[in-house]
Short mmCIF file of all heavy atoms in Angstrom, two decimals:
data_model
loop_
_atom_site.label_atom_id
_atom_site.label_comp_id
_atom_site.label_asym_id
_atom_site.label_seq_id
_atom_site.Cartn_x
_atom_site.Cartn_y
_atom_site.Cartn_z
N VAL A 105 -14.12 16.43 -35.22
CA VAL A 105 -13.44 15.16 -35.46
C VAL A 105 -12.63 15.31 -36.73
O VAL A 105 -13.18 15.66 -37.78
CB VAL A 105 -14.46 14.01 -35.58
CG1 VAL A 105 -13.76 12.72 -36.01
CG2 VAL A 105 -15.19 13.80 -34.25
N GLU A 106 -11.34 15.12 -36.62
CA GLU A 106 -10.42 15.36 -37.75
C GLU A 106 -10.68 16.74 -38.36
O GLU A 106 -10.72 16.90 -39.58
CB GLU A 106 -10.58 14.25 -38.81
CG GLU A 106 -10.32 12.84 -38.30
CD GLU A 106 -8.86 12.59 -37.93
OE1 GLU A 106 -7.99 13.39 -38.31
OE2 GLU A 106 -8.60 11.61 -37.22
N GLY A 107 -10.94 17.74 -37.52
CA GLY A 107 -11.10 19.11 -37.99
C GLY A 107 -12.50 19.47 -38.46
O GLY A 107 -12.76 20.63 -38.77
N GLN A 108 -13.42 18.51 -38.53
CA GLN A 108 -14.78 18.78 -39.00
C GLN A 108 -15.75 18.80 -37.82
O GLN A 108 -15.69 17.93 -36.95
CB GLN A 108 -15.24 17.68 -39.98
CG GLN A 108 -14.34 17.48 -41.18
CD GLN A 108 -14.32 18.70 -42.09
OE1 GLN A 108 -15.38 19.25 -42.42
NE2 GLN A 108 -13.13 19.15 -42.48
N ASN A 109 -16.65 19.81 -37.81
CA ASN A 109 -17.66 19.86 -36.75
C ASN A 109 -18.56 18.63 -36.82
O ASN A 109 -18.97 18.22 -37.91
CB ASN A 109 -18.53 21.12 -36.91
CG ASN A 109 -17.88 22.31 -36.21
OD1 ASN A 109 -17.75 22.32 -35.00
ND2 ASN A 109 -17.43 23.27 -37.01
N VAL A 110 -18.86 18.07 -35.65
CA VAL A 110 -19.77 16.91 -35.61
C VAL A 110 -20.83 17.16 -34.54
O VAL A 110 -20.72 18.07 -33.72
CB VAL A 110 -19.02 15.60 -35.30
CG1 VAL A 110 -18.02 15.26 -36.39
CG2 VAL A 110 -18.35 15.67 -33.93
N ASP A 111 -21.88 16.31 -34.56
CA ASP A 111 -22.96 16.42 -33.56
C ASP A 111 -22.51 15.81 -32.23
O ASP A 111 -21.71 14.88 -32.20
CB ASP A 111 -24.20 15.66 -34.05
CG ASP A 111 -24.82 16.35 -35.26
OD1 ASP A 111 -24.59 17.57 -35.42
OD2 ASP A 111 -25.50 15.66 -36.04
N PHE A 112 -23.08 16.36 -31.17
CA PHE A 112 -22.78 15.83 -29.83
C PHE A 112 -23.97 16.12 -28.93
O PHE A 112 -24.78 17.00 -29.22
CB PHE A 112 -21.51 16.47 -29.26
CG PHE A 112 -21.60 17.97 -29.18
CD1 PHE A 112 -22.11 18.60 -28.04
CD2 PHE A 112 -21.19 18.77 -30.24
CE1 PHE A 112 -22.21 19.99 -27.98
CE2 PHE A 112 -21.29 20.15 -30.18
CZ PHE A 112 -21.80 20.77 -29.05
N LEU A 113 -24.11 15.37 -27.86
CA LEU A 113 -25.17 15.63 -26.89
C LEU A 113 -24.82 14.92 -25.59
O LEU A 113 -24.00 14.00 -25.58
CB LEU A 113 -26.52 15.11 -27.41
CG LEU A 113 -26.59 13.61 -27.68
CD1 LEU A 113 -27.51 12.91 -26.70
CD2 LEU A 113 -27.03 13.35 -29.10
N PHE A 114 -25.45 15.37 -24.49
CA PHE A 114 -25.27 14.67 -23.22
C PHE A 114 -26.25 13.51 -23.17
O PHE A 114 -27.45 13.72 -23.13
CB PHE A 114 -25.44 15.62 -22.04
CG PHE A 114 -24.18 16.40 -21.75
CD1 PHE A 114 -24.00 17.68 -22.29
CD2 PHE A 114 -23.16 15.84 -21.00
CE1 PHE A 114 -22.83 18.38 -22.05
CE2 PHE A 114 -21.99 16.55 -20.75
CZ PHE A 114 -21.82 17.82 -21.28
N LYS A 115 -25.71 12.31 -23.20
CA LYS A 115 -26.54 11.10 -23.14
C LYS A 115 -27.18 10.97 -21.77
O LYS A 115 -28.30 10.52 -21.61
CB LYS A 115 -25.66 9.88 -23.43
CG LYS A 115 -26.35 8.54 -23.34
CD LYS A 115 -25.44 7.43 -23.82
CE LYS A 115 -24.49 6.89 -22.76
NZ LYS A 115 -25.10 5.99 -21.80
N ASP A 116 -26.41 11.33 -20.75
CA ASP A 116 -26.93 11.43 -19.39
C ASP A 116 -26.11 12.53 -18.72
O ASP A 116 -25.18 13.06 -19.33
CB ASP A 116 -26.84 10.06 -18.66
CG ASP A 116 -25.42 9.55 -18.55
OD1 ASP A 116 -24.56 10.28 -18.03
OD2 ASP A 116 -25.16 8.41 -19.01
N PRO A 117 -26.44 12.92 -17.48
CA PRO A 117 -25.77 14.10 -16.90
C PRO A 117 -24.25 13.99 -16.79
O PRO A 117 -23.58 14.98 -16.55
CB PRO A 117 -26.40 14.21 -15.50
CG PRO A 117 -27.72 13.54 -15.63
CD PRO A 117 -27.53 12.43 -16.61
N LEU A 118 -23.70 12.78 -16.99
CA LEU A 118 -22.25 12.63 -16.84
C LEU A 118 -21.60 12.01 -18.07
O LEU A 118 -20.46 11.55 -18.00
CB LEU A 118 -21.95 11.78 -15.60
CG LEU A 118 -22.35 12.43 -14.27
CD1 LEU A 118 -22.29 11.43 -13.12
CD2 LEU A 118 -21.46 13.64 -13.96
N THR A 119 -22.32 11.97 -19.20
CA THR A 119 -21.76 11.33 -20.39
C THR A 119 -21.99 12.18 -21.63
O THR A 119 -23.13 12.49 -21.98
CB THR A 119 -22.40 9.95 -20.62
OG1 THR A 119 -22.19 9.15 -19.46
CG2 THR A 119 -21.79 9.25 -21.83
N LEU A 120 -20.90 12.55 -22.29
CA LEU A 120 -20.97 13.28 -23.55
C LEU A 120 -20.87 12.28 -24.70
O LEU A 120 -19.89 11.52 -24.78
CB LEU A 120 -19.82 14.30 -23.63
CG LEU A 120 -19.73 15.11 -24.93
CD1 LEU A 120 -20.90 16.09 -25.03
CD2 LEU A 120 -18.40 15.85 -25.01
N ALA A 121 -21.88 12.28 -25.57
CA ALA A 121 -21.87 11.39 -26.74
C ALA A 121 -21.45 12.21 -27.95
O ALA A 121 -21.94 13.32 -28.17
CB ALA A 121 -23.25 10.79 -26.96
N ILE A 122 -20.52 11.67 -28.74
CA ILE A 122 -20.03 12.35 -29.94
C ILE A 122 -20.33 11.45 -31.13
O ILE A 122 -19.98 10.27 -31.14
CB ILE A 122 -18.52 12.61 -29.81
CG1 ILE A 122 -18.29 13.64 -28.69
CG2 ILE A 122 -17.92 13.09 -31.13
CD1 ILE A 122 -16.86 13.77 -28.25
N VAL A 123 -21.02 12.03 -32.12
CA VAL A 123 -21.49 11.24 -33.25
C VAL A 123 -20.60 11.53 -34.47
O VAL A 123 -20.49 12.67 -34.91
CB VAL A 123 -22.96 11.57 -33.58
CG1 VAL A 123 -23.48 10.65 -34.69
CG2 VAL A 123 -23.82 11.44 -32.33
N PHE A 124 -19.96 10.50 -34.99
CA PHE A 124 -19.10 10.67 -36.16
C PHE A 124 -19.95 10.92 -37.40
O PHE A 124 -21.11 10.49 -37.48
CB PHE A 124 -18.26 9.40 -36.40
CG PHE A 124 -17.24 9.12 -35.32
CD1 PHE A 124 -16.86 7.81 -35.03
CD2 PHE A 124 -16.65 10.16 -34.60
CE1 PHE A 124 -15.93 7.54 -34.05
CE2 PHE A 124 -15.71 9.89 -33.62
CZ PHE A 124 -15.35 8.58 -33.33
N ALA A 125 -19.35 11.59 -38.39
CA ALA A 125 -20.06 11.82 -39.65
C ALA A 125 -20.28 10.50 -40.39
O ALA A 125 -21.25 10.33 -41.11
CB ALA A 125 -19.27 12.80 -40.51
N GLU A 126 -19.34 9.56 -40.23
CA GLU A 126 -19.54 8.24 -40.83
C GLU A 126 -19.05 7.17 -39.86
O GLU A 126 -18.31 7.47 -38.93
CB GLU A 126 -18.79 8.11 -42.18
CG GLU A 126 -17.30 7.94 -42.07
CD GLU A 126 -16.54 9.27 -42.15
OE1 GLU A 126 -17.18 10.34 -42.03
OE2 GLU A 126 -15.31 9.24 -42.27
N THR A 127 -19.49 5.95 -40.10
CA THR A 127 -19.08 4.84 -39.24
C THR A 127 -17.58 4.61 -39.36
O THR A 127 -17.02 4.69 -40.45
CB THR A 127 -19.84 3.56 -39.67
OG1 THR A 127 -21.23 3.82 -39.53
CG2 THR A 127 -19.47 2.38 -38.80
N ARG A 128 -16.95 4.34 -38.20
CA ARG A 128 -15.51 4.04 -38.22
C ARG A 128 -15.31 2.64 -37.67
O ARG A 128 -15.99 2.22 -36.74
CB ARG A 128 -14.74 5.05 -37.36
CG ARG A 128 -14.71 6.43 -37.99
CD ARG A 128 -14.03 7.45 -37.10
NE ARG A 128 -14.02 8.75 -37.75
CZ ARG A 128 -13.05 9.16 -38.56
NH1 ARG A 128 -12.01 8.38 -38.82
NH2 ARG A 128 -13.12 10.35 -39.14
N THR A 129 -14.35 1.93 -38.25
CA THR A 129 -14.12 0.55 -37.82
C THR A 129 -12.80 0.40 -37.08
O THR A 129 -12.65 -0.50 -36.25
CB THR A 129 -14.10 -0.41 -39.02
OG1 THR A 129 -13.17 0.10 -39.97
CG2 THR A 129 -15.47 -0.50 -39.65
N SER A 130 -11.83 1.26 -37.38
CA SER A 130 -10.53 1.13 -36.73
C SER A 130 -9.76 2.42 -36.96
O SER A 130 -10.27 3.37 -37.56
CB SER A 130 -9.75 -0.06 -37.31
OG SER A 130 -9.53 0.18 -38.69
N GLY A 131 -8.53 2.46 -36.49
CA GLY A 131 -7.65 3.59 -36.76
C GLY A 131 -7.74 4.68 -35.71
O GLY A 131 -8.63 4.70 -34.87
N GLU A 132 -6.77 5.57 -35.76
CA GLU A 132 -6.72 6.67 -34.79
C GLU A 132 -7.55 7.85 -35.27
O GLU A 132 -7.58 8.16 -36.46
CB GLU A 132 -5.27 7.12 -34.58
CG GLU A 132 -4.48 6.12 -33.74
CD GLU A 132 -3.14 6.66 -33.27
OE1 GLU A 132 -2.77 7.81 -33.63
OE2 GLU A 132 -2.46 5.92 -32.55
N VAL A 133 -8.21 8.51 -34.33
CA VAL A 133 -9.03 9.68 -34.63
C VAL A 133 -8.67 10.77 -33.63
O VAL A 133 -8.46 10.48 -32.45
CB VAL A 133 -10.54 9.35 -34.45
CG1 VAL A 133 -11.38 10.51 -34.97
CG2 VAL A 133 -10.92 8.08 -35.15
N ILE A 134 -8.60 12.01 -34.12
CA ILE A 134 -8.38 13.14 -33.20
C ILE A 134 -9.71 13.85 -32.97
O ILE A 134 -10.38 14.25 -33.93
CB ILE A 134 -7.31 14.10 -33.74
CG1 ILE A 134 -5.97 13.35 -33.83
CG2 ILE A 134 -7.19 15.32 -32.84
CD1 ILE A 134 -4.86 14.16 -34.46
N ILE A 135 -10.10 13.95 -31.71
CA ILE A 135 -11.38 14.55 -31.34
C ILE A 135 -11.10 15.79 -30.49
O ILE A 135 -10.48 15.68 -29.43
CB ILE A 135 -12.24 13.54 -30.54
CG1 ILE A 135 -12.47 12.28 -31.38
CG2 ILE A 135 -13.56 14.17 -30.11
CD1 ILE A 135 -13.07 11.12 -30.59
N GLU A 136 -11.55 16.95 -30.98
CA GLU A 136 -11.32 18.21 -30.25
C GLU A 136 -12.61 18.62 -29.56
O GLU A 136 -13.65 18.76 -30.21
CB GLU A 136 -10.86 19.29 -31.25
CG GLU A 136 -10.69 20.66 -30.63
CD GLU A 136 -10.36 21.73 -31.68
OE1 GLU A 136 -9.63 21.42 -32.65
OE2 GLU A 136 -10.85 22.87 -31.54
N ILE A 137 -12.55 18.81 -28.25
CA ILE A 137 -13.73 19.21 -27.48
C ILE A 137 -13.48 20.59 -26.89
O ILE A 137 -12.54 20.78 -26.11
CB ILE A 137 -14.04 18.18 -26.37
CG1 ILE A 137 -14.26 16.79 -26.97
CG2 ILE A 137 -15.26 18.61 -25.55
CD1 ILE A 137 -14.36 15.67 -25.95
N ASN A 138 -14.30 21.58 -27.29
CA ASN A 138 -14.20 22.94 -26.75
C ASN A 138 -15.31 23.12 -25.72
O ASN A 138 -16.48 22.85 -26.02
CB ASN A 138 -14.36 23.96 -27.87
CG ASN A 138 -13.20 23.88 -28.85
OD1 ASN A 138 -12.12 24.37 -28.60
ND2 ASN A 138 -13.43 23.20 -29.98
#
Side-chain angles (χ1 to χ4, degrees):
V105 172
E106 302 292 345
Q108 303 295 313
N109 274 294
V110 297
D111 292 336
F112 58 89
L113 61 112
F114 278 95
K115 177 172 85 77
D116 60 55
L118 294 168
T119 303
L120 178 69
I122 293 168
V123 185
F124 294 150
E126 75 267 13
T127 300
R128 290 176 180 271
T129 52
S130 62
E132 286 192 358
V133 188
I134 296 175
I135 301 169
E136 176 185 324
I137 301 171
N138 295 281

